[in-house]
Amino acid sequence: MNQKIDQLAADNIRALAIAMVEKANSGHPGGAMGGADFMHILYTEYLDFDPNQMDWAFRDRFFMDAGHLSALMYAQYYLLGNYEKSDVQQFRQWGSITPGHPEVDVLRGIENTSGPLGQGHAMGVGAAIAAKFLDARFYGIFDHKIYGFITDGGVQEEISQGAGRIAGHLGLNNFILFYDSNDVQLSSMTDEVTSEDTAMKYESWGWKVITIDGHDHDQIRKALHDANAETSKPTLIIGKTIMGKGCVTADDAMYEGECELHGKPIGDTKADFTKTLLNLKANPEDPFAIFDAVASHYTTIKSQKAAKAAIKKAKIALWENENPALAAKMQLFLSGEIPELDLSTVVQKANAATRDASSAVLAYLAENVENIIVSSADLSNSDKTDGFLKKSSVLQKNDFSGAFLQAGVAELTMTAIANGIALHGGIIPVVATFFVFSDYMKPAIRLAAIQELPVKYVWTHDSFRVGEDGPTHQPIEQEAQIRLMEKIKNHSGNQSFLALRPADAIETSVAWDMALKNTKTPTGLILSRQNIKDIPAVTSRYEEATQATKGGYLVHTTSNHDITLIANGSEVATLMEAAGILEKENNLKINVASIISEGLFKQQSKAYQESIIPKGKLVFGLTAGLPVNLEGLIGDSGKVIGLEHFGYSAPASVLDEKFGFTSQQVCVEILKYIEESKK
């Protein structure tokens, strides 16, 4: 412990942070200056990792909630050698590895993408759950800590309610959250926004709460020591800090704690950039320099970290030698691969709802994949994730031997937690709710897509056929919204999301196989509440349904066909019925296609696409959602029948008739379209 070097290092972080923002003429310097003391003490004295292997699976992890404080992170990791001087000089610029909000980059120490406030610490909760889950199976190996950093904005975001409640309920003593409380927000002082007692709130959720002077290094150490010693609760460390700590004016007067220091360069405030650098003992001629004494100190720290990691690596190696079967299982978990599965063996009931078909698959997975955590937003008996639950048990405080997380009514929190589970690694996260409530989930779905996380979403009650529950529960526009994610490429250049709406029970088994094998992006399964007639098989329905891996395929075909009918989900069965009627009564030759994923279908060769939906021939689409769901597939002369209004409360069969979705009504529309095409 060296008070002089610790203060110098914290000031170096402050100077680097304001230099980044000043050069970029964009960013948030004040909060970074306030959080510098905690970051330095945490990273040098408490956070365990291997500087030579930043992706070491058994490291402590740091989850940033306040992504606007990216300069704080980059400065800290620059001191540790993870960034070059040129990197911090290119803060927020095109092509740089130091973007305005941190983007997951584990090899440089960035554990999560953050920016939308509240989600970062919820991901930390997910990582803590993952560590507990793994430690219950490989006892004493996954005993690392998860640290988080949150600010007033993140505490105020509604997601903090769910994250705080769940972490406290589960007794996540491996989760330590630092709350940088500086009484300043982006556009106002905090007391203009809230008067709640944050400490009391977290205590009521079952947290240990410690309040300290966030600039007093001894108080920071004691808080971190006590948090690490806690055996039954997560810990919130409320650090009272000063926005813009160290800022001075042109005449050397202190200028701290002001709102304007939050979100613009120091030089654009009443503080003086050059004088502030001098106050922080930095050289204005070289503001991106690491102070010599600080550089030497961090060289020592890195050696100490590597030595400590080596001791733990030796312990793990000994455990692996003594437990070869468990070690092999652990390596399989950490590889991200799944064991050999045969979903064709899952017995599906005839004409089942696809939510029930999914339940059968989940029951199979509960017995054949040991590293899955399934979660439901208080709907397991309706979204049928109870198929998994019946073969497992609920995660509980002091008992993480189960694999089902009862998230309660907290769709966004549940989904962000799943992102954290995926980021931690070693576990496949599955989350479920009604499709209409995907609206609550979309901010976290978007971050999953950006971070390229293989989270699986189970969305049931997929159409107006929810019926009596009425328009609030009937998803009309949700499929159109979620399929937009199939049209967006991630930074790896791939389709950022895979949305699958299977046509029957067997296609649901295939869809689950596709979801499990998709380890690069999130996948959503969109499933029916009502029973659906099975698609007839020519030989083997499962083998035929595996063509869904191309995004779309023909479920009914005839030579020299007059028209192709396309749909996904339950509407495929409706079109099959309509095709039978039209072939019998109108002597038409009809092909029917199930397009489970437009995005995946459009990745296929043009020849394949045209073999399913030929150019220059009639194409008719049916969707229980907005017509736009299929408009990208039908071509210039095709026609789509969909629903362009909210639903109503009535039995599903009544709504089918009122909205024109019976097979007889669809036949009328198809014949009308054929006649119109002749004009």
Side-chain angles (χ1 to χ4, degrees):
M1 186 187 305
N2 184 322
Q3 291 182 351
K4 183 177 179 181
I5 195 66
D6 288 331
Q7 187 60 53
L8 193 63
D11 283 343
N12 201 167
I13 292 171
R14 293 183 177 98
L16 289 167
I18 66 171
M20 280 185 251
V21 174
E22 202 75 17
K23 186 174 187 297
N25 195 30
S26 173
H28 300 261
M33 300 176 81
D37 298 286
F38 176 80
M39 288 289 279
H40 166 69
I41 298 299
L42 173 67
Y43 270 83
T44 55
E45 299 181 29
Y46 289 89
L47 198 79
D48 290 335
F49 59 97
D50 184 352
N52 303 312
Q53 187 186 355
M54 292 299 293
D55 60 350
W56 182 42
F58 308 96
R59 67 191 181 277
D60 289 345
R61 289 157 171 82
F62 175 82
F63 280 76
M64 175 59 83
D65 191 279
H68 59 281
L69 300 187
S70 58
L72 173 62
M73 300 185 73
Y74 301 145
Q76 180 65 70
Y77 283 116
Y78 175 34
L79 298 188
L80 285 163
N82 292 4
Y83 291 95
E84 301 294 332
K85 189 176 189 179
S86 58
D87 296 326
V88 294
Q89 288 175 322
Q90 290 301 304
F91 177 59
R92 289 184 167 232
Q93 304 308 301
W94 173 260
S96 77
I97 55 174
T98 48
H101 290 81
E103 298 172 19
V104 61
D105 186 353
V106 173
L107 293 179
R108 292 187 176 87
I110 310 298
E111 297 284 356
N112 64 297
T113 297
S114 57
L117 294 177
Q119 290 196 56
H121 83 296
M123 287 186 254
V125 171
I129 290 171
K132 286 282 189 182
F133 177 95
L134 292 168
D135 199 51
R137 287 148 179 82
F138 312 103
Y139 185 71
I141 302 299
F142 291 91
D143 58 352
H144 51 271
K145 298 291 185 179
I146 311 298
Y147 295 90
F149 188 111
I150 199 167
T151 56
D152 291 294
V155 167
Q156 289 163 28
E157 277 287 357
E158 291 89 339
I159 192 174
S160 69
Q161 156 81 25
R165 172 181 57 79
I166 291 171
H169 178 69
L170 293 176
L172 299 179
N173 66 304
N174 60 340
F175 185 58
I176 300 168
L177 180 63
F178 179 73
Y179 169 28
D180 185 62
S181 177
N182 55 37
D183 301 323
V184 179
Q185 304 197 181
L186 181 60
S187 65
S188 72
M189 303 303 286
T190 304
D191 61 10
E192 298 176 50
V193 174
T194 182
S195 55
E196 74 176 12
D197 187 326
T198 302
M200 187 178 293
K201 179 174 71 173
Y202 276 83
E203 286 171 353
S204 74
W205 287 328
W207 288 58
K208 179 187 187 74
V209 179
I210 306 168
T211 301
I212 62 171
D213 177 346
H215 300 302
D216 186 312
H217 294 182
D218 287 336
Q219 289 189 39
I220 294 170
R221 287 188 183 95
K222 185 176 188 312
L224 285 168
H225 178 272
D226 291 348
N228 274 274
E230 174 58 46
T231 59
S232 64
K233 298 178 179 181
T235 298
L236 178 71
I237 300 172
I238 302 177
K240 303 301 294 185
T241 62
I242 299 172
M243 173 69 68
K245 174 71 172 173
C247 284
V248 297
T249 63
D251 57 3
D252 292 316
M254 296 305 299
Y255 187 76
E256 302 173 324
E258 300 295 333
C259 186
E260 68 168 343
L261 297 172
H262 188 299
K264 56 184 178 181
I266 297 300
D268 291 344
T269 72
K270 295 182 184 67
D272 185 88
F273 175 64
T274 300
K275 287 296 185 71
T276 297
L277 284 173
L278 290 169
N279 185 52
L280 296 171
K281 304 175 185 63
N283 178 4
E285 299 299 316
D286 190 9
F288 291 97
I290 299 176
F291 305 162
D292 290 343
V294 173
S296 177
H297 180 62
Y298 268 84
T299 297
T300 300
I301 291 297
K302 287 169 65 178
S303 296
Q304 292 171 348
K305 296 287 184 187
K308 188 173 183 180
I311 293 171
K312 185 166 185 178
K313 287 181 179 182
K315 173 189 171 184
I316 293 170
L318 178 62
W319 176 87
E320 288 178 321
N321 287 333
E322 294 174 346
N323 302 276
L326 276 177
K329 182 187 295 185
M330 182 178 73
Q331 291 305 322
L332 175 64
F333 286 10
L334 294 175
S335 73
E337 300 299 320
I338 58 172
E340 287 295 322
L341 302 172
D342 185 0
L343 297 191
S344 70
T345 65
V346 175
V347 177
Q348 296 290 8
K349 293 180 180 179
N351 305 317
T354 52
R355 66 167 175 166
D356 291 322
S358 172
S359 184
V361 174
L362 284 167
Y364 172 89
L365 296 179
E367 295 180 327
N368 291 277
V369 183
E370 296 182 64
N371 61 326
I372 289 182
I373 292 179
V374 176
S375 186
S376 176
D378 193 40
L379 289 169
S380 59
N381 55 345
S382 291
D383 58 35
K384 298 302 181 180
T385 49
D386 60 356
F388 185 93
L389 177 56
K390 290 170 184 175
K391 300 290 182 72
S392 182
S393 60
V394 175
L395 298 175
Q396 301 177 61
K397 184 176 182 177
N398 299 323
D399 183 3
F400 283 76
S401 60
F404 197 94
L405 172 61
Q406 292 285 20
V409 187
E411 291 88 353
L412 175 57
T413 305
M414 173 182 71
T415 312
I417 283 174
N419 288 347
I421 292 171
L423 285 166
H424 181 281
I427 301 168
I428 302 166
V430 178
V431 295
T433 188
F434 291 176
F435 194 27
V436 74
F437 301 142
S438 66
D439 282 348
Y440 286 122
M441 305 166 73
K442 288 188 176 81
I445 294 170
R446 187 171 187 270
L447 279 189
I450 289 173
Q451 295 175 99
E452 305 180 20
L453 303 177
V455 181
K456 321 302 177 191
Y457 308 105
V458 174
W459 291 313
T460 66
H461 297 60
D462 69 344
S463 73
F464 65 81
R465 298 181 185 92
V466 172
E468 292 89 342
D469 278 337
T472 61
H473 281 53
Q474 294 173 16
I476 306 302
E477 73 279 18
Q478 278 71 21
E479 185 179 352
Q481 293 172 5
I482 211 68
R483 288 205 184 278
L484 287 175
M485 298 300 294
E486 289 198 316
K487 300 178 187 296
I488 301 173
K489 292 191 184 305
N490 56 34
H491 285 173
S492 295
N494 299 318
Q495 177 182 315
S496 72
F497 191 92
L498 179 61
L500 304 172
R501 187 168 180 244
D504 67 358
I506 296 299
E507 200 173 287
T508 303
S509 292
V510 172
W512 258 113
D513 190 60
M514 294 165 67
L516 291 165
K517 289 175 179 175
N518 178 23
T519 60
K520 302 299 184 184
T521 67
T523 304
L525 291 93
I526 305 168
L527 308 169
S528 75
R529 176 200 186 198
Q530 81 285 0
N531 291 344
I532 300 174
K533 289 185 178 179
D534 291 334
I535 304 301
V538 176
T539 53
S540 161
R541 175 65 187 128
Y542 191 90
E543 285 302 312
E544 291 161 16
T546 59
Q547 297 176 79
T549 57
K550 297 179 180 179
Y553 66 107
L554 293 174
V555 294
H556 178 73
T557 182
T558 183
S559 59
N560 300 315
H561 65 282
D562 301 303
I563 186 171
T564 299
L565 311 182
I566 67 170
N568 60 44
S570 52
E571 290 81 75
V572 176
T574 304
L575 290 181
M576 289 290 287
E577 284 189 357
I581 295 169
L582 293 171
E583 287 174 337
K584 181 178 180 180
E585 298 182 3
N586 299 85
N587 200 32
L588 289 170
K589 293 183 177 180
I590 297 175
N591 281 359
V592 181
S594 172
I595 311 295
I596 193 172
S597 164
E598 178 186 356
L600 191 55
F601 181 67
K602 288 193 170 179
Q603 289 182 31
Q604 308 308 312
S605 68
K606 289 294 183 184
Y608 180 78
Q609 292 181 49
E610 291 180 15
S611 73
I612 307 302
I613 307 176
K615 281 191 172 181
K617 286 210 170 187
L618 299 182
V619 181
F620 178 93
L622 181 68
T623 174
L626 292 172
V628 72
N629 290 340
L630 299 176
E631 285 175 351
L633 294 166
I634 60 169
D636 295 336
S637 59
K639 182 176 183 177
V640 176
I641 296 296
L643 205 61
E644 295 181 296
H645 56 78
F646 292 119
Y648 293 90
S649 177
S653 59
V654 173
L655 293 178
D656 263 327
E657 183 178 351
K658 295 296 184 182
F659 295 161
F661 279 80
T662 67
S663 57
Q664 290 286 354
Q665 290 168 316
V666 170
C667 284
V668 171
E669 293 294 337
I670 293 170
L671 291 172
K672 187 189 301 182
Y673 165 58
I674 292 172
E675 287 302 313
E676 289 172 351
S677 68
K678 294 176 181 178
K679 296 178 182 177

